[in-house]
Every structure is written in C-alpha cells, then in structure tokens.
Amino acid sequence: MLGMIGTGTSTLQPRHQWLLPCVLLFALLLSSVLSCGAYATAHDRPVASWPSELRDTTETSLWDTLPLAGADTASNTSWYALPLMYYTPETSVGGGFSAGYFFGSDPARISSVKSDLSASLNGEYEISFDSELYLDEGRYRLWTQVNAAQTPTSFFAVGPQSDSDTRESYTQQMVDVKLRGARRLTQALHVGLRIRVRHTTITSVADGGLLDQNVVPGARGSSVLGFGPILFVDTRSRTYYPRRGHYVSLYALAHPYVHNAQGSFTRFGADLRRFLPVGTNQVLALQAYAEAVTDMPPFALLPKLGGSSRMRGYQNARFRDRVTVSAQAEWRVPIWWRIDGAVFASVGTIAPRIAELGHSGLKPAGGFGIRYKLNDSGVRLRADFAVSPDGTGLYLTGSPPF
C-alpha cells in the first residue's frame, strides 16, 4: 500500500477526496477571474488588434536592430538548429541536437515547432517533439508534446519529510503523449480539452528497496489514459518571456484507464502567473502552482516538487505526495545585447491531503541565471544555478521556467 511508504508522515488511503481539490481550484479560479474578467470583457477583439503599448512585441534596445541568423523580420519567422548541451543533477552532462521553427503573423502569439534528440553520460536517451499552434488568427490553439525516453532517476519514498537516505535508483523507459486544444471565447478566455497517454516501464531498480519489493503502485511500470477540460485566461503581452499581463490555467484530468496500478484516479491543477514591468525592460515574474490527485495513482504520476521549472535547486521529483503547492518569483534584467540576467526564489510544500499542507513545512530554494535571446518573439536559451537545503542544481535548457 502506498500509504505505508516513506517516513511515516504520509498516510495515504485509497478513498475519494473530490471535495477538497474542488474547493482549492474554485478559490484559485475565483481570485484570478475577478482580476481578469473586467479586462477580458472590455477588450473583446482579436489579439492582433491590441494597441502597440500593450503588445510588447519587441524589447527596445540598440542591439535589437541587428538581424538574427535564420530570422525573417518581415514575416516574424525564425529558426534555429544547433548542437545541444545540457546538465541537470539527475542526468549529468548530456548533448545532442535541437531544432526549432517559429512563425506567425503576430509576434506576440507566435506558433512554434521544436524537436530535440539527446543522450547523457548517465545513460539517458530522449527524443521529443513539441508544437504550439495558433490557428484562425489565434481563435484556436493546439499543443502537442511527445516524449520517448530512457531515464535513470531516483525515488525518495513518499511524503514531505522523505529523507535523502531513502533514495532508490531506478531506470524507466517512457512514452508520453500530451494533447491540448482550446478555443478563444473572448480576447482572454479560452476553454478546451486535454488528453494524455503515458506508458512507463521500470527496467531496473535498487535491490531490496520499496520498488524492488513491489509495494509501490506502478513499481513495475504502468499505462494510463487521461482526458478532461481545461480553462485558461491569457492576457500576457506575448507567449515567451512576457513583460506584462497574467496567465491563469485550470484543469481536471480523469484517468479511467490505469494498467498495473490500483485503479482510476483524477488529477486537478491550477497555474497562476503574473508579469509586472519594472523600470526599463525589467520584469518581475510571479507564479503560484497547485496540483492534487485522488485515489492511488502510479508513483511516477504523483504531484511532485523539484525540477528545472518549479523548485529549482531540488532534484526532479525529490518530493512526491498527493497534494503540492508552490510559488516562485523571478526578477529579469537586461544585461547586454541579447543577454539577460535573472534572480529567482521559490517556496513549496507537499502533503497527503490539503488539510495537512500547513503541517508539512515549507521548502525554500533560490538562485540566479543567464538568458540569451534567440529571436524578437522572446525565445531564449537559459542557464540557471539554484541552491536549496537539499543541495544545488545547474540547468541548461531552451524552455522558460514559466
């Protein structure tokens, strides 16, 4: 039973907890929509017709007059194809090839198609495809994410107080497909459908550990199918590294089919972001994130803390449990030419149920980073160094933290 796993602080029980996740998401939705609603109804027109002072399609700089290789400034298209080098605490040094193509008539809402092929010294192999498309002048938005990977990683039991001594090494092979589609109802409000199909095989585990004893749901791998509604409000000045606006996303994802685990479960999520201009081309970026699951999902699909986006400084999935809440702030400052700097801090907690979040203790982290701007739509490569009570982390990636 998953409720017996960890350090004794997490007492998971296989029963439905629909009410508390719904209350959490309703509170987050209410607080966000109240601040967004007036804006959305007062500007019920296509994004392409926003006033220039709201669109923020470029960043004012003398250096921005220099053309980018692979960029067509007349049509807002650009591309990159370059060797890939990265590092994370879990995978060590890795390399490969990365390519991306960005296009569209509106640089504030630019479509993208990206693909990566990589391998690391720790035996990680991954191929990924990621696209985000704006169709019919932004009325429809489609996202596709496909990942196939073999990843050596770690399991630290379940619960907010899981100690580093509980670490178990294991290797997983995974195919993960995520699809999202949404239609714009007003300038800012979108509704749509989210689908996820994931198959995981555990190929090797540490001898004598919880995974080896098969007492963890999904310890031998799992297959899941999930689908459900999404709702989001988006007033960001642009998709990549915006200077102003906010983004609120709410979703519920039912998983009626779960193979090799303990039955169906439902996932709820809320993602709230706010971007505030500070001084000349400086931005204060804020994010609050919450996620909760019902019943007994495979351990790999439990909400988690740690990674290259949220709670940088902690190893990916360092903490797992059925409810997680985190917040982070990042101050983004231009340095020179297409190079920016960032200072960030985050705090988060995790618990077996919402009522116990206040008793789980807060986990802090922080750090700094450098970004290099690839095109005038804001796409950047980033390098972040983060510190937490659990250790340090260095992250090299082409994806924004949020």
Side-chain angles (χ1 to χ4, degrees):
M1 293 291 292
L2 189 57
M4 301 171 60
I5 300 168
T7 61
T9 59
S10 180
T11 56
L12 305 185
Q13 299 178 6
R15 63 173 181 264
H16 289 279
Q17 294 186 357
W18 293 89
L19 179 60
L20 288 176
C22 288
V23 171
L24 172 67
L25 293 182
F26 178 76
L28 291 170
L29 173 63
L30 181 62
S31 63
S32 302
V33 170
L34 286 177
S35 64
C36 300
Y39 186 96
T41 56
H43 297 79
D44 190 11
R45 53 183 173 178
V47 173
S49 64
W50 284 12
S52 58
E53 65 271 16
L54 294 180
R55 289 163 53 82
D56 186 35
T57 57
T58 59
E59 297 171 4
T60 305
S61 170
L62 173 63
W63 301 101
D64 285 330
T65 60
L66 299 178
L68 282 169
D72 180 353
T73 57
S75 60
N76 298 313
T77 62
S78 63
W79 57 270
Y80 69 89
L82 68 162
L84 175 68
M85 182 176 179
Y86 65 92
Y87 175 87
T88 67
E90 301 82 42
T91 62
S92 183
V93 176
F97 181 79
S98 179
Y101 178 63
F102 304 88
F103 59 96
S105 59
D106 181 5
R109 296 289 183 265
I110 192 167
S111 296
S112 63
V113 177
K114 295 177 285 185
S115 184
D116 295 335
L117 176 66
S118 62
S120 77
L121 295 180
N122 277 4
E124 179 191 52
Y125 304 95
E126 180 174 8
I127 182 170
S128 65
F129 172 84
D130 188 342
S131 69
E132 181 175 0
L133 304 178
Y134 293 84
L135 307 176
D136 194 11
E137 298 183 344
R139 184 172 290 108
Y140 298 95
R141 298 169 69 168
L142 299 176
W143 296 262
T144 302
Q145 291 178 289
V146 181
N147 289 80
Q150 172 178 288
T151 307
T153 186
S154 300
F155 174 62
F156 292 88
V158 173
Q161 306 302 328
S162 57
D163 192 84
S164 58
D165 293 338
T166 65
R167 174 175 178 170
E168 301 177 28
S169 298
Y170 72 97
T171 300
Q172 68 174 6
Q173 294 177 345
M174 176 267 295
V175 177
D176 195 3
V177 179
K178 300 177 183 178
L179 304 173
R180 289 182 294 162
R183 187 187 190 283
R184 189 180 68 212
L185 299 183
T186 69
Q187 178 189 348
L189 177 64
H190 302 69
V191 296
L193 179 68
R194 177 182 178 129
I195 300 173
R196 184 178 190 182
V197 180
R198 177 182 169 117
H199 174 74
T200 303
T201 301
I202 307 298
T203 59
S204 64
V205 297
D207 292 337
L210 296 173
L211 298 179
D212 186 39
Q213 298 174 46
N214 197 23
V215 297
V216 182
R220 294 293 181 265
S222 61
S223 298
V224 301
L225 167 65
F227 55 87
I230 58 173
L231 178 150
F232 64 92
V233 177
D234 189 357
T235 69
R236 294 173 296 176
S237 55
R238 64 185 181 191
T239 303
Y240 293 94
Y241 291 90
R243 280 184 47 78
R244 57 176 61 84
H246 42 259
Y247 175 84
V248 178
S249 174
L250 305 174
Y251 75 86
L253 198 64
H255 294 78
Y257 174 79
V258 182
H259 175 68
N260 207 19
Q262 295 191 5
S264 61
F265 67 97
T266 302
R267 179 183 300 270
F268 301 90
D271 185 355
L272 292 78
R273 310 176 191 180
R274 184 68 186 269
F275 302 91
L276 303 170
V278 180
T280 304
N281 290 333
Q282 301 179 28
V283 177
L284 177 62
L286 307 171
Q287 182 189 38
Y289 186 86
E291 197 170 35
V293 296
T294 65
D295 300 297
M296 305 287 283
F299 79 94
L301 292 177
L302 283 169
K304 58 191 179 183
L305 289 181
S308 61
S309 297
R310 292 185 298 274
M311 300 301 296
R312 286 164 282 180
Y314 292 93
Q315 183 172 330
N316 184 44
R318 171 62 180 85
F319 297 97
R320 307 175 194 254
D321 217 323
R322 290 166 66 180
V323 182
T324 181
V325 176
S326 63
Q328 62 178 325
E330 184 170 285
W331 182 31
R332 301 168 178 173
V333 182
I335 296 178
W336 172 74
W337 191 36
R338 298 186 179 275
I339 299 175
D340 300 338
V343 179
F344 54 86
S346 59
V347 64
T349 188
I350 199 163
R353 54 185 57 86
I354 294 175
E356 298 183 29
L357 283 172
H359 307 291
S360 300
L362 296 177
K363 306 182 186 306
F368 60 91
I370 296 293
R371 286 92 167 93
Y372 175 76
K373 187 171 70 171
L374 287 176
N375 60 31
D376 289 333
S377 292
V379 181
R380 286 163 165 80
L381 302 177
R382 69 178 171 100
D384 289 341
F385 178 77
V387 179
S388 74
D390 219 51
T392 61
L394 176 64
Y395 308 92
L396 304 175
T397 177
S399 300
F402 62 96

